[in-house]
Amino acid sequence: MTDMTNVATAAANTPGLPEDQRRLIELDDAIAKIRTQIATADLARQRGQKPIDPDWFHRARTALRHLSRERAELLAQGTGRRRREKLKDALIGILRERHEPETWSGILAEAQARSEREGL
């Protein structure tokens, strides 16, 4: 059985994973843990066991806010990557239009071979 406490850590340590994606996985895991702790404290409060410590709750919400902001910044930086991908798609479209189907197949095969050699 998979140990669910280490799933995010294992995913974040996947070889070849870009650093920004690794950090997003870590942030998502940290955010989920804080939300779970807040929900657990709220359930205990509702059962009447004990009130939520206001200082702890404030620290948890502040940490959640900072982690969410860092996550949003990482996602915003990713928009540059999407622009690059759109440029690549446009470039591929132009080159495909300018080459015969046989030539294009050769170019595509060469690109795939290079991708496999370089581990992309």
Side-chain angles (χ1 to χ4, degrees):
M1 180 173 200
T2 304
D3 181 7
M4 296 306 286
T5 59
N6 294 325
V7 172
T9 304
N13 292 328
T14 302
L17 193 65
E19 185 60 36
D20 56 346
Q21 288 181 350
R22 179 174 292 125
R23 185 63 184 145
L24 275 175
I25 291 169
E26 292 170 352
L27 288 170
D28 285 342
D29 185 49
I31 289 169
K33 286 178 182 177
I34 292 172
R35 286 183 177 158
T36 301
Q37 290 173 354
I38 291 172
T40 302
D42 189 44
L43 286 172
R45 178 194 59 80
Q46 289 176 18
R47 283 193 311 255
Q49 290 180 347
K50 59 181 177 179
I52 295 177
D53 176 19
D55 291 332
W56 172 85
F57 183 75
H58 175 71
R59 286 191 308 274
R61 294 292 298 182
T62 300
L64 189 61
R65 188 174 57 251
H66 288 294
L67 291 170
S68 296
R69 188 197 70 238
E70 183 180 350
R71 184 180 190 283
E73 289 172 358
L74 276 173
L75 289 174
Q77 291 172 358
T79 48
R81 177 175 296 131
R82 282 187 222 110
R83 275 190 231 121
R84 219 173 21 239
E85 288 173 3
K86 287 181 180 180
L87 175 63
K88 288 178 185 178
D89 290 343
L91 181 61
I92 289 169
I94 291 168
L95 291 172
R96 188 176 209 161
E97 291 170 2
R98 292 184 182 179
H99 290 86
E100 296 297 322
E102 300 81 26
T103 307
W104 178 251
S105 295
I107 292 170
L108 188 57
E110 185 179 339
Q112 287 173 340
R114 181 182 291 185
S115 173
E116 290 174 6
R117 275 194 316 270
E118 295 175 4
L120 301 176

